[in-house]
Amino acid sequence: MAASKFAIITGASTGIGFELAHLAAQNGYDLLVVADEPLIEASATDFRRHGVEVEAVQADLATIEGVEKLIEAAKGRTVNLLCANAGRGLGHGFLEQEVADWRRVIDTNITGTLYLLQKVVQPMVARDEGKVLITGSIAGFMPGSFQAVYNGTKAFIDSFADALRNEIEEAKGVTITTLMPGATETEFFDRADMLDTKVGSDEKDDPAKVAKDGWDALMAGKAHIVSGWKNKLQAAAAHVTPASILAEQHRKMAEPGTAEEHDDE
């Protein structure tokens, strides 16, 4: 039997999205989960242990067609909760990157995310009910040397979420929460080819803790949540530090080869 609450969660096969899907299922939401890899089917089996209905879709949310495939899978059902969590990183210097690779980061993190938000939030505002969690990043607060496109997309998302929240402020029943984690223990750094960097090799935050911080803020209708006290300090410092210094600090974390230097200290 279908639950009365329905959630869409993107990037749900691993990491923060996987943990958010578990939290939603534990809280009685039927799920539509999506990722761009077959692993999403196995993850869906895991979510069904909570006794809710779960539908899994493998789709590329870097494309308009992928987002439409996801929307069609909802079969017109009212979406009470959206976790727009799908994202993609890319390490190394921008001038070395293939056009197709950096475009995929932009299309996943920005274009696909915005199209999904427009499709889902329009009916939420029309009925004055719904909760949205957008996964931004504290990376959006600093110039991302050797991760320039990714950090730029997160700066866009952090800003866009603030603007959208203001645009729909008359819809009091709709909340938009931005989750801004720091480096988190997920597949992100492997997929971004950043395992040879300091940030890729350092200890990272627990995705379950990050997801719980995001979930609690989402349920409380908060505008923002920076997960983790170290990240809160870093985010606060970024607001008063010159961009040139932030860029140099980021270089020391993200430049290829810095993992070895770090390990030798």
Side-chain angles (χ1 to χ4, degrees), residues 116-140:
L116 177 61
L117 286 168
Q118 193 171 54
K119 286 288 191 181
V120 174
V121 177
Q122 279 177 342
M124 283 184 173
V125 170
R127 67 174 187 272
D128 197 19
E129 183 273 328
K131 292 183 178 296
V132 178
L133 182 70
I134 303 172
T135 302
S137 174
I138 65 166

Side-chain angles (χ1 to χ4, degrees), residues 189-209:
F189 294 95
D190 184 19
R191 292 173 180 166
D193 193 18
M194 294 182 68
L195 294 182
D196 65 340
T197 66
K198 184 178 185 298
V199 68
S201 61
D202 276 359
E203 186 176 344
K204 302 173 193 57
D205 295 333
D206 176 7
K209 169 70 165 59

Side-chain angles (χ1 to χ4, degrees), residues 101-194:
D101 290 339
W102 61 254
R103 274 201 63 175
R104 187 167 175 77
V105 173
I106 293 171
D107 287 342
T108 303
N109 297 2
I110 296 179
T111 309
T113 298
L114 263 58
Y115 187 50
L116 177 61
L117 286 168
Q118 193 171 54
K119 286 288 191 181
V120 174
V121 177
Q122 279 177 342
M124 283 184 173
V125 170
R127 67 174 187 272
D128 197 19
E129 183 273 328
K131 292 183 178 296
V132 178
L133 182 70
I134 303 172
T135 302
S137 174
I138 65 166
F141 299 144
M142 61 195 77
S145 308
F146 296 94
Q147 207 178 356
V149 175
Y150 173 79
N151 283 40
T153 64
K154 290 303 181 179
F156 180 100
I157 286 297
D158 291 347
S159 172
F160 176 83
D162 286 340
L164 180 59
R165 187 180 303 111
N166 178 264
E167 287 184 12
I168 68 167
E169 64 181 3
E170 290 182 7
K172 302 297 184 187
V174 181
T175 59
I176 295 177
T177 302
T178 312
L179 170 61
M180 292 178 278
T184 305
E185 194 61 62
T186 69
E187 302 293 318
F188 176 91
F189 294 95
D190 184 19
R191 292 173 180 166
D193 193 18
M194 294 182 68

Side-chain angles (χ1 to χ4, degrees), residues 5 22 62 87 93 100 112 138 165 188 217 247 253 258 263-264:
K5 300 183 292 186
H22 269 299
I138 65 166
R165 187 180 303 111
F188 176 91
M253 294 190 298
T258 49
D263 291 341
D264 291 341

Side-chain angles (χ1 to χ4, degrees), residues 78-102:
T78 296
V79 181
N80 307 104
L81 173 68
L82 169 65
C83 293
N85 172 75
R88 181 173 293 274
L90 184 64
H92 296 275
F94 171 68
L95 298 183
E96 304 165 21
Q97 294 168 352
E98 296 293 332
V99 174
D101 290 339
W102 61 254

